[in-house]
Amino acid sequence: MGVPAFFRWLSRKYPSIIVNCVEEKPKECNGVKIPVDASKPNPNDVEFDNLYLDMNGIIHPCTHPEDKPAPKNEDEMMVAIFEYIDRLFSIVRPRRLLYMAIDGVAPRAKMNQQRSRRFRASKEGMEAAVEKQRVREEILAKGGFLPPEEIKERFDSNCITPGTEFMDNLAKCLRYYIADRLNNDPGWKNLTVILSDASAPGEGEHKIMDYIRRQRAQPNHDPNTHHCLCGADADLIMLGLATHEPNFTIIREEFKPNKPKPCGLCNQFGHEVKDCEGLPREKKGKHDELADSLPCAEGEFIFLRLNVLREYLERELTMASLPFTFDVERSIDDWVFMCFFVGNDFLPHLPSLEIRENAIDRLVNIYKNVVHKTGGYLTESGYVNLQRVQMIMLAVGEVEDSIFKKRKDDEDSFRRRQKEKRKRMKRDQPAFTPSGILTPHALGSRNSPGSQVASNPRQAAYEMRMQNNSSPSISPNTSFTSDGSPSPLGGIKRKAEDSDSEPEPEDNVRLWEAGWKQRYYKNKFDVDAADEKFRRKVVQSYVEGLCWVLRYYYQGCASWKWYYPFHYAPFASDFEGIADMPSDFEKGTKPFKPLEQLMGVFPAASGNFLPPSWRKLMSDPDSSIIDFYPEDFAIDLNGKKYAWQGVALLPFVDERRLRAALEEVYPDLTPEETRRNSLGGDVLFVGKHHPLHDFILELYQTGSTEPVEVPPELCHGIQGKFSLDEEAILPDQIVCSPVPMLRDLTQNTVVSINFKDPQFAEDYIFKAVMLPGARKPAAVLKPSDWEKSSNGRQWKPQLGFNRDRRPVHLDQAAFRTLGHVMPRGSGTGIYSNAAPPPVTYQGNLYRPLLRGQAQIPKLMSNMRPQDSWRGPPPLFQQQRFDRGVGAEPLLPWNRMLQTQNAAFQPNQYQMLAGPGGYPPRRDDRGGRQGYPREGRKYPLPPPSGRYNWN
Amino acid sequence: AQEVSEYLSQNPRVAAWVEALRCDGETDKHWRHRRDFLLRNAGDLAPAGGAASASTDEAADAESGTRNRQLQQLISFSMAWANHVFLGCRYPQKVMDKILSMAEGIKVTDAPTYTTRDELVAKVKKRGISSSNEGVEEPSKKRVIEGKNSSAVEQDHAKTSAKTERASAQQENSSTCIGSAIKSESGNSARSSGISSQNSSTSDGDRSVSSQSSSSVSSQVTTAGSGKASEAEAPDKHGSASFVSLLKSSVNSHMTQSTDSRQQSGSPKKSALEGSSASASQSSSEIEVPLLGSSGSSEVELPLLSSKPSSETASSGLTSKTSSEASVSSSVAKNSSSSGTSLLTPKSSSSTNTSLLTSKSTSQVAASLLASKSSSQTSGSLVSKSTSLASVSQLASKSSSQTSTSQLPSKSTSQSSESSVKFSCKLTNEDVKQKQPFFNRLYKTVAWKLVAVGGFSPNVNHGELLNAAIEALKATLDVFFVPLKELADLPQNKSSQESIVCELRCKSVYLGTGCGKSKENAKAVASREALKLFLKKKVVVKICKRKYRGSEIEDLVLLDEESRPVNLPPALKHPQELL
């Protein structure tokens, strides 16, 4: 979703939803890389069932990374993608299903955004290349050295669009990758893998949602499946909430601002292309062995726990004395709906609602005020009640004016502060130094003549008062107005002053001044304010859009054709009389074919991804769709600062005309291109240990042409239809490697088959409710009545997935070692004199804790004798580290120790579940779910200092 | 537009046909224009008039294939044109040529203007920020020419529209000045303020022409004949448009006119131009008093220039140019806050320095006067002096002569010939400090202008650009010409060909020198040299030694931060003469 600030806002407001990932890194031993064994228990104290990958979030950073040198060719990109997936896999360790979804052709509503991104990307890429070339020549002319220019073409990120050869190749590579891992990786042994490549229509995340939605709607679905969805888009949060699955976690790369970027020319860090001087690289380490270790090379991952967010939302949205029954699930749906006002990929956001100005909080408050009157919720299972929405919108409309005024005030005061700051920075002395008696004096110079002021305090005070009175009259401001000259000139004067610093953008709309609505419509839509009909049309389209978007999230794509035909949104106050607006969509619409979509979203400069005769339509002056492909287009910054934040004023594509023009060139397609242009489906892969393996082999042997139902009992309750795949990967057939540097799979046991989601009638409505049998995960937030119910115990916040996650400890052997290396008692340490707490206390503290954990797989519990907990080691830890001394460098070390231990430990989970896996799981889950409640029984919470360790 | 709707109401079939081509979400206005475009170019694609029988349908069916293709193409062109005009898109040149020729005759009033992405990014580049997503501190100007400016705007191509945008921006600025001027001085200032606004608002190279157009506007009031004379120069394409705007005699008539006449100024039809301008100015009233009061400060500044037209015709070859310079210089608005305050502050300096510059050429009158609010009798004298056609540059202010230098508008060319008043005062750092802020701003303005034309390159009109930048800051570019042989201190190696030397100054600070065969050439070279100063990170005003008539003098010189003031060309005029 196009709201970059949404995640930041969310994670600040609801901090507990974030959990940092514990990641086990592959180790290297004598130059041999030992991959992580993902069949071991998850180091994050949680087991996930399904992992869904929104592949576009992986492809982009792997093909054109921002924080490291770009891969040299397509093969390297593929390998980078494989490694990235491996890394995610080792963190999440799904036990049942891995679903990979690459963006297919998107609904028409998304095309405008895709277009504007690709038009910009094409231009940016071109500019970067020109700039590089220029600097390169300059450096070479000056005699500098640069690594020889790669022969390969500039990677046009626009090729990451369904229908291109690159995407086709990527699908092939991923098939190979899946087969390889299913054959060789123990973590993948029992996994079902579904690959939905770019030929399957729909955006990646929505394909995933569709899958979840359809599985939920069939009776065999396990309502307690733990989903983990990978992707950075904000709309994944919405989608996750929209599923109403109790266990839903999102994993994403942690965003770290200001990461160093390597120079595009010499691949060194520390400067940009324009500053490149072609200097030789400095040696990293003695023998340049650290050359590849980039500063803060890899981004860390974080989990975003939606069940915690649901807890927060429940708390925030709960309203007393409602005229109707309160339902958390419904109010969460309403919350999701309101977030769409603030921004989504398909509609421009309302001018008055800006996420950075706490628009969502404002909406929630209005919502809570209004909902008493509305008599019900705004939405139901993705359908909008327009009458109620109108009440909300008009309530927002009432405050719109003040929002704009406040925005202007804030902006002005910000600018003023900035200006003053700049001034301050220029000057050496402070802006104001008190004079008279308050004159500052250097310490120790008491006897200087300046300190005599105390001699006549009254006189001094009087002088200072007078000084203050007279000073304003000297200030230059008054001179402008003294003769009553008209104020506009004063404005110009000030502007002239300002222009010395920064030229300010001209804002013709001036939302803060009266008449803003007229100006907005005049400037943005180029219509007169009196044109009520047009305004109505805009509102109508926007309302349709809201309905479409919500339906898209809850029910799937309502219409592949619908789109919002304007570049700007109307005002909230314009949403009058929307209750009776039609909000139904044309049924039976079809998505674009991949190549058609390419024609719709690419600029002429990216035409090389298309067949020649198609390409010609983009540039030929006689083309009948030439108007879709402007060379340059206007950008309206719309109050924003940066070009990429502005609105690209691109013409909309007329689907009918596009199709009509393409009809003529369709015969020019080669068979290969025709294949690429066809819509495909999902492919399911299983290894030889999977119960489905034999079933699928059987299908291939009988060669049935009819689609066959998936037996849900063989596959964790997944339902759908199998149909034979002509290009299937079959056991005992060699899987050729599409990447030269990877070997072919000669001993393949993996089988693949086409998979189709369960189908429902067209007017079927997927219910947005929690499924019966679903158990809510244990609460994470501090209960609001904790003070009353806790009997004075201290609240212990939960920082990981597991409430009872124990701090890391060292065992006796470790302390012996430490004691040997760091002589204790010699008085060198600064805290060595502190008295240790009594030993008995420690014993009391730890024993019950152990009992609570005995039944679950737990770190190191099997490794050490229980007595060890009573010994001095914890003392050491508490004393020496908890005070923060040395905690910083020790942290990574401790973490590593912990993960190592986890790796050594026999797999208790496996022992419980067994290879068959499925039925015993429930018991196991029950045990897992149970213990947090036991955890409350701890007699004594650990001393607060211990929290540093979690 | 009216005929179109009439026609459609008479031909419902055509109306239905064309209405089917309307897009979802197209505004009435855009549709009206695009419909115009479609109908003009439809040819036989549109169904014949309402009376037509079914036979046309059959005929259409027969060749529906090609017709359909033609129709699609027409729709595409209409969309491209509409996107260009209303959305700010730019297409490949061939397409642009095609659609603009197809759109000939369609008047789009009140079209929005945009900054395209390329322009936006170029601005960023210029400012040394790496890539487009690193940031534009200056967001685009998306301007809409307000409804009151109902002049026809023919959008030639993106660049023109950008120019128009700038021009109108300035115009707005200046119009506020006019308003205040009218407020303070009633009566005859009304008309002249209109002129001055035009001068100050027209951008760069249109200067010469704008003066022409301005005079023709004023002449419109008195004699219709001269108005026609000037109008006859306009190409047919724009003829009607400019005519309408002329008739309206609206302030913004210069927008079309300036574009037209820029094209002319490049063409060799100079004599015609001169003729028209001469006749225009002749027909206008004897004395034009452009009045610009910067009422932001308490002062009333009255740069006053009255030019006798006959003298302009007399000065050979360059009539339009000189006249323009004269009129441009007349419209100097000393709006900069620095100057305003500088006049205010020096109460302490008791030395009242009244300088009187009398030019010996009686043909031309340039009276510039700086009167502080208190000295009312000087303003009276101004009036009398200007009527008596004496060339008077009078400076009456309490401030010292140094401070007042910045206030002085420049002189017209004739005045530069001989005026030898000796000055004894020395340049001080005070002067430097005073000028510096102006040139900081000028630096920015120039940078933007350079960006708008795609960076510094030989095919940019440097003179225009520099002048436009300076005028945008309400100052004047002063140009002096001296035959090369009169310059004693110059190495005489290429004297044979390049015979004229040109020196550029602004606010009495030296910018650059150039020589060439003609005055134009020399000026172009000089402006190029001057512009080069603005390519570095910063410009500074310094006091440097220069040669003047064999002796060393001190002068205020604009330098870029790196360059050392070595080997400056000799001064053409004594700097202090200009004060």
Side-chain angles (χ1 to χ4, degrees), chain B residues 249-261:
Chain B
S249 80
S250 64
V251 189
N252 42 36
S253 68
H254 73 277
M255 289 203 295
T256 39
Q257 271 234 310
S258 60
T259 26
D260 298 349
S261 34

Side-chain angles (χ1 to χ4, degrees), chain A residues 113 206 239 305 411 430 463 466 473 486 562 588 634 650 690 693 779:
Chain A
Q113 197 206 38
H206 286 273
L239 285 169
R305 302 187 66 195
E411 235 168 67
E463 272 166 11
M466 295 328 282
S473 62
W562 179 89
L650 282 166
H690 197 283
H693 188 256

